[in-house]
Coordinates of all heavy atoms in Angstrom, one line a residue:
T47 N -37.2 55.4 67.1 CA -36.4 56.6 67.3 C -37.0 57.5 68.4 O -38.1 57.1 68.9 CB -36.3 57.4 66.0 OG1 -35.4 58.5 66.1 CG2 -37.6 57.9 65.5
R49 N -38.1 61.7 69.4 CA -38.3 63.1 68.9 C -37.0 63.9 69.0 O -36.4 63.8 70.0 CB -39.5 63.7 69.6 CG -39.9 65.1 69.0 CD -41.3 65.4 69.3 NE -41.6 65.5 70.7 CZ -42.2 66.5 71.3 NH1 -42.7 67.5 70.6 NH2 -42.6 66.4 72.6
K72 N -44.6 58.8 52.0 CA -45.1 58.5 53.3 C -46.6 58.4 53.2 O -47.3 59.2 52.5 CB -44.8 59.7 54.3 CG -45.2 59.4 55.7 CD -44.7 60.5 56.6 CE -45.0 60.2 58.1 NZ -46.4 60.3 58.4
E74 N -50.1 58.9 54.7 CA -50.7 59.7 55.7 C -52.1 59.2 56.1 O -53.0 59.1 55.3 CB -50.9 61.1 55.2 CG -49.6 61.8 54.8 CD -48.7 62.1 56.0 OE1 -49.2 61.9 57.2 OE2 -47.5 62.4 55.8
P75 N -52.2 58.8 57.4 CA -53.5 58.2 57.8 C -54.6 59.2 57.9 O -55.8 58.8 57.8 CB -53.2 57.7 59.3 CG -52.0 58.5 59.7 CD -51.2 58.8 58.5
A76 N -54.4 60.5 57.9 CA -55.4 61.4 58.0 C -56.2 61.5 56.7 O -57.4 61.8 56.7 CB -54.9 62.8 58.3
V118 N -36.3 64.5 64.2 CA -37.6 63.8 64.0 C -38.7 64.5 64.8 O -38.5 64.8 66.0 CB -37.4 62.3 64.4 CG1 -38.7 61.6 64.5 CG2 -36.4 61.6 63.5
A119 N -39.8 64.7 64.1 CA -41.0 65.3 64.8 C -42.1 64.3 65.0 O -42.1 63.3 64.5 CB -41.4 66.5 63.9
L120 N -43.0 64.7 65.8 CA -44.2 63.8 66.1 C -44.9 63.4 64.8 O -45.3 62.2 64.7 CB -45.2 64.5 67.0 CG -44.8 64.8 68.4 CD1 -45.9 65.7 69.1 CD2 -44.7 63.5 69.2
E121 N -45.0 64.3 63.8 CA -45.8 64.0 62.6 C -45.0 63.1 61.7 O -45.5 62.6 60.7 CB -46.2 65.2 61.9 CG -45.1 66.1 61.5 CD -44.7 67.2 62.5 OE1 -45.1 67.0 63.7 OE2 -44.1 68.2 62.1
D122 N -43.7 62.8 62.0 CA -42.9 61.9 61.2 C -43.2 60.5 61.4 O -42.9 59.6 60.5 CB -41.4 62.1 61.4 CG -41.0 63.5 61.0 OD1 -41.7 64.2 60.3 OD2 -39.9 64.0 61.5
E123 N -43.8 60.1 62.5 CA -44.1 58.7 62.8 C -45.1 58.2 61.7 O -46.0 58.9 61.2 CB -44.8 58.5 64.1 CG -45.2 57.1 64.4 CD -45.5 56.7 65.8 OE1 -44.5 56.7 66.6 OE2 -46.7 56.5 66.1
G124 N -44.9 56.9 61.3 CA -45.9 56.4 60.4 C -45.2 55.4 59.4 O -44.0 55.0 59.6
R125 N -45.9 55.1 58.3 CA -45.4 54.1 57.3 C -44.8 54.8 56.1 O -45.4 55.7 55.5 CB -46.6 53.2 56.9 CG -46.1 52.0 56.0 CD -47.1 50.9 56.1 NE -48.4 51.3 55.5 CZ -48.8 51.2 54.3 NH1 -47.9 50.8 53.4 NH2 -49.9 51.6 53.8
T142 N -41.7 51.2 58.8 CA -42.5 52.0 59.8 C -41.5 52.7 60.7 O -40.5 52.1 61.2 CB -43.4 51.1 60.7 OG1 -44.3 50.4 59.8 CG2 -44.1 51.9 61.7
L143 N -41.7 54.0 60.8 CA -40.9 54.8 61.8 C -41.8 55.0 63.1 O -42.9 55.4 63.0 CB -40.6 56.2 61.2 CG -39.7 57.1 62.1 CD1 -38.3 56.5 62.1 CD2 -39.6 58.5 61.5
H144 N -41.2 54.5 64.2 CA -41.9 54.4 65.4 C -41.3 55.3 66.5 O -40.1 55.2 66.8 CB -42.0 53.0 65.9 CG -42.6 52.8 67.3 ND1 -44.0 52.9 67.4 CD2 -42.1 52.6 68.5 CE1 -44.3 52.7 68.7 NE2 -43.2 52.6 69.4
L145 N -42.1 56.2 67.1 CA -41.7 57.0 68.2 C -42.4 56.4 69.5 O -43.6 56.2 69.5 CB -42.1 58.5 68.0 CG -41.2 59.4 67.2 CD1 -41.4 59.1 65.8 CD2 -41.6 60.8 67.5
E146 N -41.6 56.1 70.5 CA -42.2 55.8 71.8 C -42.9 57.0 72.4 O -42.3 58.1 72.4 CB -41.1 55.2 72.7 CG -41.6 54.4 73.9 CD -42.3 53.1 73.4 OE1 -41.8 52.5 72.4 OE2 -43.3 52.7 74.0
G147 N -44.1 56.8 72.7 CA -44.9 58.0 73.2 C -46.0 57.7 74.2 O -46.1 56.6 74.7
V148 N -46.8 58.7 74.5 CA -47.9 58.5 75.4 C -49.1 59.2 74.8 O -49.0 60.2 74.2 CB -47.5 59.1 76.8 CG1 -47.1 60.6 76.7 CG2 -48.7 58.9 77.8
V149 N -50.3 58.5 75.0 CA -51.6 59.1 74.5 C -52.3 59.6 75.7 O -52.4 59.0 76.8 CB -52.4 58.0 73.8 CG1 -53.8 58.5 73.5 CG2 -51.7 57.6 72.5
F150 N -52.9 60.8 75.6 CA -53.7 61.3 76.7 C -55.0 62.0 76.2 O -55.0 62.5 75.1 CB -52.9 62.4 77.5 CG -52.4 63.6 76.8 CD1 -53.2 64.7 76.7 CD2 -51.3 63.6 76.1 CE1 -52.8 65.8 76.1 CE2 -50.8 64.7 75.4 CZ -51.6 65.8 75.4
P151 N -56.1 61.8 76.9 CA -57.4 62.5 76.5 C -57.3 64.0 76.8 O -56.7 64.4 77.8 CB -58.4 61.8 77.4 CG -57.7 61.3 78.6 CD -56.2 61.1 78.2
C170 N -54.6 69.6 70.2 CA -53.5 68.8 70.5 C -52.1 69.5 70.1 O -51.2 69.4 70.9 CB -53.6 67.5 69.7 SG -54.9 66.3 70.3
S175 N -48.4 68.2 71.1 CA -48.7 66.8 70.7 C -49.4 66.8 69.4 O -49.5 67.9 68.7 CB -49.6 66.2 71.8 OG -50.8 67.0 72.0
R176 N -50.0 65.7 69.0 CA -50.8 65.7 67.8 C -51.9 64.7 68.0 O -51.8 63.9 69.0 CB -50.0 65.3 66.6 CG -49.5 63.8 66.6 CD -48.6 63.5 65.4 NE -49.2 63.7 64.2 CZ -49.1 62.8 63.1 NH1 -48.5 61.7 63.3 NH2 -49.7 63.1 62.0
L177 N -52.9 64.7 67.2 CA -54.0 63.6 67.3 C -53.4 62.3 67.2 O -52.5 62.0 66.3 CB -55.1 63.9 66.2 CG -56.1 64.9 66.5 CD1 -57.1 65.1 65.3 CD2 -56.9 64.6 67.8
A178 N -53.8 61.4 68.0 CA -53.2 60.0 68.0 C -53.7 59.2 66.8 O -54.8 59.5 66.3 CB -53.6 59.3 69.3
T179 N -53.0 58.2 66.4 CA -53.4 57.3 65.4 C -54.2 56.2 66.1 O -54.1 56.1 67.4 CB -52.3 56.6 64.6 OG1 -51.5 55.9 65.5 CG2 -51.5 57.7 63.9
Y180 N -55.0 55.4 65.4 CA -55.7 54.3 66.0 C -54.7 53.3 66.7 O -54.9 52.8 67.8 CB -56.5 53.5 65.0 CG -57.3 52.4 65.7 CD1 -58.5 52.6 66.4 CD2 -56.8 51.1 65.7 CE1 -59.1 51.6 67.0 CE2 -57.5 50.1 66.3 CZ -58.7 50.3 67.0 OH -59.4 49.3 67.6
Q181 N -53.5 53.0 66.0 CA -52.5 52.1 66.6 C -52.0 52.6 67.9 O -51.8 51.9 68.8 CB -51.4 51.9 65.6 CG -51.8 51.1 64.3 CD -52.6 51.9 63.3 OE1 -52.7 53.2 63.4 NE2 -53.1 51.3 62.3
Q182 N -51.8 54.0 68.0 CA -51.3 54.6 69.2 C -52.4 54.5 70.3 O -52.0 54.2 71.5 CB -50.9 56.0 69.0 CG -49.6 56.2 68.1 CD -49.5 57.5 67.5 OE1 -50.4 58.4 67.5 NE2 -48.3 57.8 67.0
L183 N -53.6 54.7 70.0 CA -54.6 54.6 71.0 C -54.8 53.2 71.4 O -55.0 52.9 72.6 CB -56.0 55.1 70.4 CG -57.2 55.1 71.3 CD1 -57.0 56.0 72.5 CD2 -58.5 55.5 70.6
Y184 N -54.8 52.2 70.5 CA -54.9 50.8 70.9 C -53.8 50.4 71.8 O -54.0 49.7 72.8 CB -54.9 50.0 69.6 CG -55.2 48.5 69.9 CD1 -56.5 48.0 70.0 CD2 -54.2 47.6 70.1 CE1 -56.8 46.7 70.2 CE2 -54.4 46.3 70.4 CZ -55.7 45.8 70.5 OH -56.0 44.5 70.7
K185 N -52.6 50.8 71.5 CA -51.4 50.5 72.4 C -51.6 51.1 73.7 O -51.3 50.4 74.8 CB -50.1 50.9 71.7 CG -48.9 50.6 72.5 CD -47.6 51.0 71.7 CE -46.4 50.5 72.4 NZ -46.1 51.3 73.6
A186 N -52.1 52.3 73.8 CA -52.3 53.0 75.1 C -53.4 52.2 75.9 O -53.3 52.1 77.1 CB -52.8 54.4 74.9
W187 N -54.4 51.7 75.2 CA -55.4 50.9 75.9 C -54.8 49.6 76.5 O -55.1 49.3 77.6 CB -56.6 50.6 75.0 CG -57.5 49.5 75.5 CD1 -58.4 49.7 76.5 CD2 -57.6 48.1 75.1 NE1 -59.0 48.5 76.8 CE2 -58.6 47.5 75.9 CE3 -57.0 47.4 74.1 CZ2 -58.9 46.2 75.7 CZ3 -57.3 46.1 73.9 CH2 -58.3 45.5 74.8
T188 N -54.0 48.9 75.7 CA -53.3 47.7 76.3 C -52.4 48.0 77.4 O -52.2 47.2 78.3 CB -52.5 47.0 75.2 OG1 -51.4 47.8 74.8 CG2 -53.3 46.7 73.9
E189 N -52.0 49.3 77.5 CA -51.1 49.7 78.7 C -51.9 50.3 79.8 O -51.3 50.8 80.8 CB -50.0 50.7 78.2 CG -49.1 50.1 77.2 CD -48.2 51.0 76.5 OE1 -48.4 52.3 76.7 OE2 -47.2 50.6 75.9
G190 N -53.3 50.3 79.7 CA -54.1 50.7 80.8 C -54.9 52.0 80.6 O -55.6 52.4 81.6
L191 N -54.9 52.6 79.5 CA -55.7 53.8 79.3 C -57.2 53.5 79.4 O -57.7 52.6 78.6 CB -55.4 54.5 78.0 CG -56.2 55.8 77.7 CD1 -55.9 56.9 78.8 CD2 -55.8 56.4 76.3
D192 N -58.0 54.1 80.3 CA -59.3 53.8 80.5 C -60.1 55.1 80.6 O -59.9 55.9 81.5 CB -59.5 53.0 81.8 CG -60.9 52.6 82.1 OD1 -61.7 53.5 82.6 OD2 -61.3 51.5 81.8
W198 N -61.8 62.3 69.1 CA -61.3 62.2 67.8 C -59.9 61.6 67.8 O -59.1 61.9 68.7 CB -61.2 63.6 67.2 CG -62.4 64.3 66.9 CD1 -63.0 65.4 67.7 CD2 -63.3 64.2 65.8 NE1 -64.2 65.8 67.1 CE2 -64.4 65.1 66.0 CE3 -63.3 63.3 64.7 CZ2 -65.5 65.2 65.1 CZ3 -64.4 63.4 63.8 CH2 -65.4 64.3 64.0
I199 N -59.5 60.9 66.7 CA -58.2 60.5 66.4 C -57.8 61.0 65.0 O -58.7 61.6 64.3 CB -57.9 59.0 66.6 CG1 -58.7 58.2 65.6 CG2 -58.2 58.6 68.0 CD1 -58.4 56.7 65.6
L200 N -56.6 60.7 64.5 CA -56.1 61.4 63.4 C -56.8 61.1 62.1 O -56.9 62.0 61.2 CB -54.6 61.0 63.2 CG -53.8 61.7 62.1 CD1 -53.8 63.2 62.3 CD2 -52.4 61.2 62.0
D201 N -57.4 59.9 61.9 CA -58.0 59.6 60.7 C -59.5 60.1 60.6 O -60.2 59.7 59.6 CB -57.9 58.1 60.4 CG -58.7 57.2 61.5 OD1 -59.3 57.8 62.3 OD2 -58.7 56.0 61.4
T203 N -61.9 59.3 62.8 CA -62.8 58.5 63.4 C -62.8 58.8 65.0 O -62.0 59.6 65.4 CB -62.5 57.0 63.3 OG1 -61.1 56.7 63.7 CG2 -62.6 56.6 61.8
H205 N -63.4 57.3 69.0 CA -63.2 56.1 69.8 C -63.2 56.5 71.3 O -63.0 57.6 71.7 CB -62.0 55.3 69.4 CG -61.8 55.0 68.0 ND1 -62.3 53.9 67.4 CD2 -61.3 55.8 67.0 CE1 -62.0 53.9 66.1 NE2 -61.4 55.1 65.8
Y206 N -63.3 55.4 72.2 CA -62.9 55.6 73.5 C -62.5 54.2 74.1 O -63.1 53.2 73.8 CB -64.1 56.2 74.4 CG -65.3 55.4 74.5 CD1 -65.6 54.7 75.7 CD2 -66.3 55.4 73.5 CE1 -66.8 53.9 75.8 CE2 -67.4 54.6 73.6 CZ -67.7 53.9 74.8 OH -68.9 53.2 74.9
P207 N -61.4 54.2 74.9 CA -60.8 53.0 75.4 C -61.3 52.6 76.8 O -61.3 53.5 77.7 CB -59.3 53.3 75.5 CG -59.3 54.8 75.7 CD -60.5 55.4 75.2
V224 N -61.3 49.0 72.8 CA -61.4 50.3 72.2 C -62.7 50.4 71.4 O -62.8 49.9 70.3 CB -60.2 50.6 71.2 CG1 -60.3 52.0 70.6 CG2 -58.9 50.5 72.0
A239 N -60.6 64.9 72.4 CA -59.5 64.6 71.6 C -58.6 63.6 72.3 O -58.5 63.6 73.5 CB -58.7 65.8 71.2
F240 N -58.0 62.7 71.5 CA -57.0 61.8 72.1 C -55.7 62.3 71.4 O -55.5 62.2 70.2 CB -57.2 60.3 71.8 CG -58.3 59.8 72.7 CD1 -59.5 59.5 72.2 CD2 -58.0 59.5 74.0 CE1 -60.5 59.0 73.0 CE2 -59.0 59.0 74.9 CZ -60.3 58.7 74.3
C241 N -54.8 62.8 72.2 CA -53.5 63.4 71.7 C -52.3 62.4 72.0 O -52.4 61.6 72.9 CB -53.2 64.7 72.4 SG -54.5 65.9 72.3
F242 N -51.3 62.5 71.1 CA -50.1 61.7 71.3 C -48.9 62.6 71.4 O -48.8 63.6 70.6 CB -50.0 60.8 70.1 CG -48.6 60.1 70.0 CD1 -48.4 58.9 70.7 CD2 -47.6 60.6 69.3 CE1 -47.2 58.2 70.7 CE2 -46.4 59.9 69.2 CZ -46.2 58.7 69.9
T243 N -48.0 62.4 72.3 CA -46.8 63.1 72.5 C -45.7 62.1 72.7 O -45.9 61.0 73.1 CB -46.9 64.2 73.5 OG1 -45.7 65.1 73.4 CG2 -46.9 63.6 74.9
S244 N -44.4 62.6 72.6 CA -43.3 61.8 72.8 C -42.2 62.6 73.5 O -42.2 63.8 73.5 CB -42.7 61.3 71.4 OG -41.6 60.5 71.5
A245 N -41.2 61.9 74.1 CA -40.1 62.6 74.7 C -39.3 63.4 73.8 O -39.1 63.0 72.6 CB -39.2 61.6 75.5
K285 N -44.3 60.2 81.8 CA -44.1 58.8 81.2 C -42.6 58.4 81.1 O -42.2 57.3 81.4 CB -44.7 58.9 79.8 CG -44.5 57.6 78.9 CD -45.4 56.5 79.4 CE -45.4 55.3 78.5 NZ -46.3 54.2 78.9
F286 N -41.8 59.4 80.6 CA -40.4 59.0 80.3 C -39.4 59.4 81.3 O -38.2 58.8 81.3 CB -40.0 59.6 78.9 CG -40.9 59.1 77.8 CD1 -41.9 59.9 77.3 CD2 -40.8 57.8 77.3 CE1 -42.7 59.4 76.3 CE2 -41.6 57.4 76.3 CZ -42.6 58.2 75.8

Side-chain angles (χ1 to χ4, degrees):
T47 189
R49 187 157 55 134
K72 184 174 187 288
E74 297 295 348
V118 170
L120 289 173
E121 60 268 22
D122 297 342
E123 176 165 291
R125 187 160 62 89
T142 299
L143 186 66
H144 175 74
L145 277 73
E146 198 65 36
V148 57
V149 172
F150 60 93
C170 288
S175 58
R176 69 183 302 224
L177 279 175
T179 65
Y180 182 81
Q181 290 78 10
Q182 290 163 347
L183 181 63
Y184 185 88
K185 183 173 184 289
W187 168 70
T188 66
E189 294 172 350
L191 182 60
D192 182 279
W198 294 102
I199 63 172
L200 187 59
D201 64 2
T203 57
H205 309 266
Y206 63 103
V224 178
F240 286 105
C241 305
F242 171 83
T243 192
S244 180
K285 176 77 172 181
F286 299 105

